[in-house]
């Protein structure tokens, strides 16, 4: 039995959960409404009195075992997203590299001839918290998948390179540095 899938999901009182036959709808204090259509094999039980949700599977087939933990995790992420939200922090490294917010979009100057302009999807907010230090980017939102995807798109616009460390990286990401060319002492 899946250990993750077996674990019941507790949710706070300020989160509203509605479970229909084919849809799970979660609404929270962040004002976000997230929806998910679970796989038809999974049975989702909601106990409103104890504020718990459990996910059950019909049998121990390989597909059902893998869907069991996945479905439970997706619902738990929805509840966490509408109550607390998710955020990813990125750091820009390089001389003259910077970010700026312009009309809700993020404008990146990362060593190319033109600036890169990325517009976040609906429900995702991008911030550059300190205007004096425009090298930190924060991506926030209720949907974990959208936040992670947009942060990955920002990082992909200028991946960190291993020689000088220039580029955009996640705040806690460690870039393995390589040594440049070194000439052998010839004789």
């Amino acid at each position: 039995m899946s250990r993750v899938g077996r674990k019941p999901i507790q949710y706070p009182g300020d989160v509203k959960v509605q479970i229909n036959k084919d849809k799970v709808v979660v609404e929270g204090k962040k004002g976000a409404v997230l929806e998910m259509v679970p796989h038809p094999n999974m049975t989702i039980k909601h106990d409103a009195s104890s504020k718990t949700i459990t996910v059950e599977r019909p049998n121990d087939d390989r597909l059902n075992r893998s869907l069991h933990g996945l479905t439970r995790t997706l619902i738990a992420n929805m509840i966490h997203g509408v109550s607390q939200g998710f955020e990813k922090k990125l750091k820009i490294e390089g001389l003259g590299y910077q970010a700026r917010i312009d009309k809700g979009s993020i404008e990146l100057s990362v060593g190319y001839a033109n600036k890169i302009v990325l517009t976040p999807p609906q429900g995702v907010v991008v911030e550059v918290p300190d205007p004096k230090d425009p090298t930190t980017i924060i991506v926030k939102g209720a949907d974990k998948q959208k936040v992670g995807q947009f942060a990955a798109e920002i990082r992909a616009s200028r991946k960190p390179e291993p020689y000088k460390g220039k580029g955009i990286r996640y705040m806690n990401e460690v870039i393995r540095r390589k040594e440049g060319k070194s000439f052998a002492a010839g004789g």
Side-chain angles (χ1 to χ4, degrees), residues 11-60:
Y11 62 92
D14 57 354
V15 174
K16 296 177 186 170
V17 177
Q18 294 176 342
I19 298 177
N20 302 331
K21 289 183 179 181
D22 60 341
K23 193 183 287 187
V24 177
V25 180
V26 180
E27 185 177 352
K29 67 181 178 186
K30 292 274 185 188
V33 177
L34 298 178
E35 296 180 358
M36 182 189 98
V37 179
H39 195 276
N41 291 0
M42 296 298 109
T43 305
I44 300 170
K45 295 186 178 178
H46 178 226
D47 184 11
S49 61
S50 65
K51 298 199 179 295
T52 59
I53 299 171
T54 54
V55 179
E56 295 177 358
R57 64 180 186 217
N59 53 33
D60 285 340

Side-chain angles (χ1 to χ4, degrees), residues 124-175:
V124 175
V125 178
V126 182
E127 298 175 353
V128 177
D130 187 9
K132 293 179 183 176
D133 178 30
T135 60
T136 303
I137 304 169
I138 299 176
V139 182
K140 294 181 180 180
D143 191 342
K144 187 175 186 178
Q145 194 274 329
K146 285 183 181 178
V147 169
Q149 178 67 38
F150 191 67
E153 288 173 11
I154 291 173
R155 183 183 180 274
S157 64
R158 185 67 165 206
K159 290 183 181 175
E161 55 97 14
Y163 296 102
K164 293 183 180 177
K166 290 178 163 184
I168 303 172
R169 63 177 174 85
Y170 294 112
M171 193 64 83
N172 58 358
E173 183 180 12
V174 177
I175 305 300

